[in-house]
Amino acid sequence: MNQHLSFRSGNPALNSKVFKNFSESSSNTMTLNGAVNKTGISLLLLLLFGCFGFYFTLNSGVKVVGINGDTVITNMSSSLMILGFIVGFILALVTIFKKHLSPYTVPAYAIFEGLALGAISAFFSAMYDGIVFQAVLITSSIFFTLLFLYKTRIIKPTENFKLGIAAATGGIFIVYIINMLMSFFGNGLPVMDINNASIYSIGFSLVVVVIASLNLVLDFDFIEEASEMGVPKYMEWYGAFGLMVTLVWLYLEILRLLAKLNSRR
């Protein structure tokens, strides 16, 4: 195996175990251009159905009322978000464990994840006007900036770089788990509260956004290296899936950060 691929990516969908059992002799193999095209298709589906979920939720009656700006949502819009995330999670698991189904599961994942992201984006938009556009713009800017820095080799994913990002990503994941468990018994962790505008809460969100952004570099590197290994053609969809997972994470964390900053006003 290529030495680059012996080191783990911070993205759980893209790690050193994903490609190791594939033969390099196949004539119909993964290419970098193919992975780029599949990523473009996946992100387009995510965006289109995200817009549908966003406007559907707004038109179904989401609004902000009360002294604390509590968000009121309808059962239908809430169901759309829950459906999108649950089906998206199931499709993600199928994709990870049945990679040969990626050409079918990844577009479906993009559709349902888009619906869920559109719905949750509408909630944030109802609280703070313009926040969704800002989040999309910042996420896109980070993506293209890091892609440029990676292609020009200004940022090089060395062994220590990969190990550090993977460790930091694992630490953040543990915080998420703790927050989820605490939320079952009342309030979650204060630093995860979008209405918490303390320096510690904002600082935590900044760190998460930076780590999520740097995971993009690992994803770029992994897809590029994997395309040189002769893995099956359907792995182009799987590579697009891994990159999409990171972008969804980054977008949601930027939304959370912007909400915290807006709550200071």
Side-chain angles (χ1 to χ4, degrees):
M1 177 179 290
N2 187 299
Q3 185 178 4
H4 265 319
L5 293 178
S6 65
F7 301 113
R8 180 178 174 84
S9 167
N11 187 332
L14 298 179
N15 57 60
S16 59
K17 298 179 181 179
V18 170
F19 299 95
K20 70 177 183 179
N21 294 322
F22 295 119
S23 169
E24 299 185 16
S25 61
S26 175
S27 59
N28 192 21
T29 59
M30 175 181 178
T31 65
L32 182 59
N33 285 338
V36 170
N37 292 336
K38 303 304 188 298
T39 300
I41 294 172
S42 300
L43 292 179
L44 179 60
L45 288 172
L46 185 76
L47 179 62
L48 289 176
F49 282 87
C51 290
F52 173 81
F54 179 81
Y55 288 108
F56 176 85
T57 302
L58 287 183
N59 292 332
S60 65
V62 60
K63 59 182 179 179
V64 177
V65 298
I67 189 171
N68 295 321
D70 299 324
T71 305
V72 176
I73 61 176
T74 64
N75 290 332
M76 187 171 294
S77 59
S78 179
S79 298
L80 179 65
M81 181 177 65
I82 295 173
L83 174 67
F85 277 127
I86 291 178
V87 176
F89 179 72
I90 294 173
L91 288 169
L93 292 178
V94 174
T95 302
I96 291 172
F97 292 105
K98 300 291 183 180
K99 299 176 183 61
H100 63 282
L101 297 178
S102 295
Y104 311 102
T105 58
V106 173
Y109 170 82
I111 289 172
F112 282 96
E113 198 71 13
L115 292 174
L117 288 179
I120 197 171
S121 295
F123 302 153
F124 277 91
S125 179
M127 288 187 288
Y128 304 108
D129 186 41
I131 191 175
V132 172
F133 176 76
Q134 295 171 18
V136 171
L137 181 61
I138 293 173
T139 302
S140 302
S141 299
I142 290 174
F143 175 80
F144 287 110
T145 298
L146 287 176
L147 180 60
F148 171 78
L149 294 176
Y150 171 74
K151 295 300 291 184
T152 57
R153 295 300 187 262
I154 294 176
I155 292 182
K156 298 180 180 180
T158 62
E159 173 186 355
N160 290 335
F161 178 89
K162 293 182 179 183
L163 292 176
I165 298 303
T169 303
I172 293 170
F173 177 76
I174 292 174
V175 173
Y176 287 164
I177 294 297
I178 294 174
N179 179 71
M180 182 178 65
L181 293 175
M182 290 180 62
S183 64
F184 290 149
F185 302 98
N187 295 326
L189 292 172
V191 293
M192 299 290 288
D193 186 357
I194 62 173
N195 294 312
N196 183 356
S198 70
I199 188 67
Y200 300 105
S201 179
I202 292 175
F204 174 79
S205 289
L206 282 172
V207 169
V208 175
V209 167
V210 170
I211 297 302
S213 300
L214 293 178
N215 264 280
L216 289 173
V217 176
L218 302 189
D219 297 342
F220 296 149
D221 181 67
F222 205 94
I223 292 173
E224 183 176 40
E225 294 291 336
S227 66
E228 300 173 358
M229 294 183 59
V231 298
K233 190 74 173 176
Y234 61 77
M235 293 302 291
E236 293 174 352
W237 283 105
Y238 190 84
F241 165 71
L243 190 57
M244 190 164 45
V245 168
T246 300
L247 283 172
V248 168
W249 176 34
L250 176 60
Y251 171 74
L252 289 174
E253 287 302 328
I254 289 175
L255 268 181
R256 188 192 302 273
L257 174 60
L258 291 175
K260 292 178 180 180
L261 292 174
N262 276 274
S263 68
R264 295 175 64 93
R265 298 177 181 176

